[in-house]
Amino acid sequence: MLDQKLIRENPTSVEENLSLRGKVYKISHVHELTVKKKEIDIEISSIQSKSKQLSKSIGNLIGKSQNNNLKELKDLKKKGNEYRIKISELEEKQRILEKEVDDEISNLPNFPSKDAPIGKDESDNVQVKTWGDPFKKENIKSHWEIGESLNIFDSVKSTKISKSRFITLVGNGARLERALINFMIDTHTKNDYLELMPPALVNSESLKGSGQLPKFSSESFKCSNDDLWLSPTAEVPITAFHKNEIIDPKQLPLKYVAYSPCFRREAGSYGRDTKGLIRLHQFNKVELYWFCDPSKSTEAHEKITSDAESILKKLNLPYRLVDICTGDLGFSSSRTFDLEVWLPSSKCYREISSCSNCLDFQSRRSSIRAKIDKKNTYLHTLNGSGLAIGRTMAAILENGQQTDGSVKIPDALVPYFGSKFLKTA
RNA sequence: GGAGAGGUGGCUGAGUGGUCGAAAGCGAACGACUCGAAAUCGUUUAAUAGGUAACUAUUCGUGGGUUCGAAUCCCACCCUCUCCGCCA
């Protein structure tokens, strides 16, 4: 959520900042609404003040004389009644305006950071660095071919259970999934992250608080009988964990790691990545999340990214770091570093983690503050996958494939998985 | 799901129409006493929004309503607790 005051006082700068995303944003209408709303706020409070004084003097008058039928009293009450009617009229206007303003501002994305590369779309993203040697060989199998031959997951049977884009992990596949979750959480908790295991169902307010609503309602699954949705990422419940709080600044930064199943409708992606573990309606993810002092979020962004990277390094998976351009930034983010893992079968890097600095965008939506220098200040929030489990498994299968059909398990994962190779059961 | 009870400041808890933003206690801060501390005594101490400030408004679960005036009355919703039912 952008600052309403900024929109009211400096609409031009708001438009300029938003236009960095490569689209035109017209905010003159919201601007007018915020100005009107401010006028009404002031008017209401001045009438309330008069009305309050009047009520007190009526109280005093009744206290002094026992007679309730004085003409003076009647006149005062009449005057009070006028105030009341006026106030309720104005409040009605205020409510409508507030809703309009809120609706419009809720649909505006965050400002891109000045440091983000300027660009229109994905093709303008900037590769910052690569790590490890991409595995290139003839006769490379895709992870779904490997999965099928090792019998570690089954998508055909899963359509009987649910529909397409769902997966059932089988035997060692399920075991590998659990090993990855535990390995990642252990690594991060050793690094001072506090583990959370939040609800998978979240209410509308929570989705709004982190930016998924109102604009992206078609991206999430809704439970029709309740005001509950299947959470698309742990970012949602973690943000909501501190909703409407004023946090003691001594506790900052708050660093959380959470495993959660994630549910996404993937509307509009029909035909893309239909095979394997890359794009599913349900997948597991370990998420990293920081609430921090606004002056320290740039630094925190570097740190959360390197914490996510450390998993790829420990698993010895080749990857690259990409600086997302202004036109390709997510709705809530002002700067995003993507980590992309090498998938040899498709000879390309695929996103496995997205590390974003949302500045005060989510904390303003969710009202999460800390008293810093005697002022209540919206905190900065940062999130990053550390990592997406299914895609990590795909990368391990493809990068670790052996000529005999087995898969080498990364050394760091062996204690969790329980053996050095993944073979046919 | 059924029956009942309840949601008040950092905490406990009083308050059923009029200086109530709210008694009392605990806690906290400061001061006195003390070499220092404990104990004791005294003073102070809710939050939010707007404003440089004086100040103004709002807030007693949330949202409406009645009234000149609502923590207090009415309606709806949310949450918590107890019992019963169901259940991993």
Side-chain angles (χ1 to χ4, degrees):
Chain A
M1 184 86 80
L2 300 178
D3 187 359
Q4 202 176 117
K5 197 173 166 187
L6 191 65
I7 289 174
R8 193 177 65 236
E9 291 173 355
N10 201 343
T12 321
S13 88
V14 171
E15 282 187 352
E16 279 169 13
N17 276 302
L18 285 175
S19 68
L20 289 173
R21 285 181 176 261
K23 274 168 65 180
V24 179
Y25 290 88
K26 283 270 168 215
I27 65 152
S28 55
H29 182 57
V30 212
H31 167 68
E32 277 170 38
L33 294 177
T34 54
V35 172
K36 249 188 240 167
K37 183 172 162 284
K38 181 71 176 172
E39 284 166 8
I40 290 181
D41 287 350
I42 291 169
E43 198 180 350
I44 287 179
S45 110
S46 91
I47 300 176
Q48 275 171 335
S49 173
K50 286 184 204 160
S51 158
K52 223 171 147 176
Q53 277 176 4
L54 184 72
S55 295
K56 271 185 189 169
S57 56
I58 291 176
N60 284 339
L61 200 62
I62 292 174
K64 269 185 236 159
S65 76
Q66 296 296 315
N67 187 352
N68 277 359
N69 286 320
L70 284 174
K71 176 159 190 316
E72 197 187 350
L73 203 58
K74 279 191 177 168
D75 288 345
L76 287 177
K77 283 193 182 181
K78 196 173 162 227
K79 183 79 187 152
N81 198 29
E82 281 165 20
Y83 284 143
R84 181 163 60 89
I85 290 166
K86 187 71 190 157
I87 288 171
S88 68
E89 276 171 12
L90 285 170
E91 277 179 342
E92 179 64 19
K93 276 192 196 169
Q94 186 189 42
R95 259 198 296 274
I96 293 166
L97 268 177
E98 214 164 69
K99 181 154 190 331
E100 276 183 81
V101 166
D102 187 70
D103 285 351
E104 296 228 12
I105 298 183
S106 301
N107 278 301
L108 294 173
N110 201 357
F111 295 144
S113 159
K114 301 271 179 263
D115 300 323
I118 309 274
K120 271 185 92 172
D121 54 36
E122 209 178 326
S123 61
D124 293 323
N125 293 342
V126 175
Q127 174 177 307
V128 176
K129 68 168 182 186
T130 62
W131 185 92
D133 289 325
F135 175 61
K136 287 177 183 162
K137 243 181 161 179
E138 292 308 306
N139 301 321
I140 279 179
K141 285 191 197 157
S142 64
H143 70 272
W144 57 89
E145 289 167 327
I146 299 168
E148 198 176 315
S149 68
L150 293 178
N151 191 29
I152 54 173
F153 52 80
D154 194 311
S155 53
V156 176
K157 282 180 160 56
S158 302
T159 63
K160 294 196 289 185
I161 306 175
S162 313
K163 59 184 234 170
S164 67
R165 289 194 191 282
F166 282 91
I167 202 95
T168 305
L169 297 167
V170 178
N172 280 331
R175 183 178 184 82
L176 182 56
E177 185 94 352
R178 283 191 291 119
L180 282 166
I181 294 168
N182 281 332
F183 163 70
M184 290 182 197
I185 291 178
D186 282 356
T187 304
H188 295 309
T189 51
K190 275 178 207 148
N191 204 4
D192 268 346
Y193 284 85
L194 180 62
E195 183 179 353
L196 299 181
M197 204 175 276
L201 269 65
V202 297
N203 61 35
S204 301
E205 201 180 274
S206 298
L207 278 171
K208 193 182 166 193
S210 42
Q212 282 77 11
L213 286 180
K215 219 174 171 182
F216 306 102
S217 58
S218 64
E219 288 294 325
S220 294
F221 290 103
K222 183 165 170 47
C223 305
S224 61
N225 287 333
D226 301 280
D227 177 31
L228 289 170
W229 306 65
L230 298 182
S231 172
T233 161
E235 181 189 337
V236 177
I238 301 176
T239 309
F241 193 57
H242 287 296
K243 181 161 64 190
N244 298 329
E245 285 186 12
I246 294 173
I247 292 164
D248 180 357
K250 277 180 273 181
Q251 295 181 348
L252 299 176
L254 290 168
K255 296 163 63 180
Y256 293 111
V257 56
Y259 151 73
S260 81
C262 303
F263 303 89
R264 299 185 183 178
R265 294 191 64 234
E266 297 293 347
S269 71
Y270 302 105
R272 258 191 291 155
D273 307 317
T274 47
K275 292 198 164 176
L277 303 170
I278 300 301
R279 192 179 297 274
L280 296 168
H281 286 310
Q282 175 180 348
F283 61 96
N284 291 314
K285 182 156 61 70
V286 168
E287 182 80 355
L288 302 175
Y289 199 104
W290 288 47
F291 295 88
C292 80
D293 185 306
S295 65
K296 293 179 181 144
S297 70
T298 305
E299 213 179 305
H301 193 201
E302 300 282 337
K303 189 73 178 84
I304 199 172
T305 307
S306 69
D307 287 340
E309 271 181 87
S310 75
I311 299 292
L312 286 161
K313 286 180 181 165
K314 281 176 198 276
L315 294 177
N316 202 27
L317 294 170
Y319 69 91
R320 65 171 186 168
L321 177 68
V322 175
D323 197 347
I324 301 299
C325 77
T326 52
D328 196 31
L329 281 173
F331 184 76
S332 300
S333 178
S334 86
R335 183 113 193 258
T336 296
F337 298 127
D338 271 8
L339 297 172
E340 300 182 346
V341 72
W342 177 251
L343 285 185
S345 74
S346 45
K347 296 189 181 61
C348 71
Y349 288 99
R350 283 307 293 257
E351 177 187 335
I352 198 166
S353 171
S354 195
C355 302
S356 300
N357 184 355
C358 298
L359 306 180
D360 60 2
F361 189 79
Q362 294 178 319
S363 68
R364 182 174 283 108
R365 285 169 101 94
S366 301
S367 187
I368 302 168
R369 295 170 292 181
K371 198 156 238 152
I372 296 169
D373 295 333
K374 293 186 180 171
K375 267 202 84 172
N376 282 329
T377 313
Y378 289 106
L379 295 176
H380 282 190
T381 62
L382 302 101
N383 65 79
S385 336
L387 307 164
I389 307 295
R391 290 185 178 187
T392 306
M393 187 186 297
I396 287 174
L397 295 179
E398 293 201 4
N399 285 283
Q401 60 183 291
Q402 308 291 304
T403 43
D404 66 357
S406 70
V407 171
K408 184 181 184 305
I409 298 294
D411 294 342
L413 201 60
V414 170
Y416 287 89
F417 182 67
S419 102
K420 291 184 177 175
F421 289 89
L422 176 55
K423 293 178 184 165
T424 317

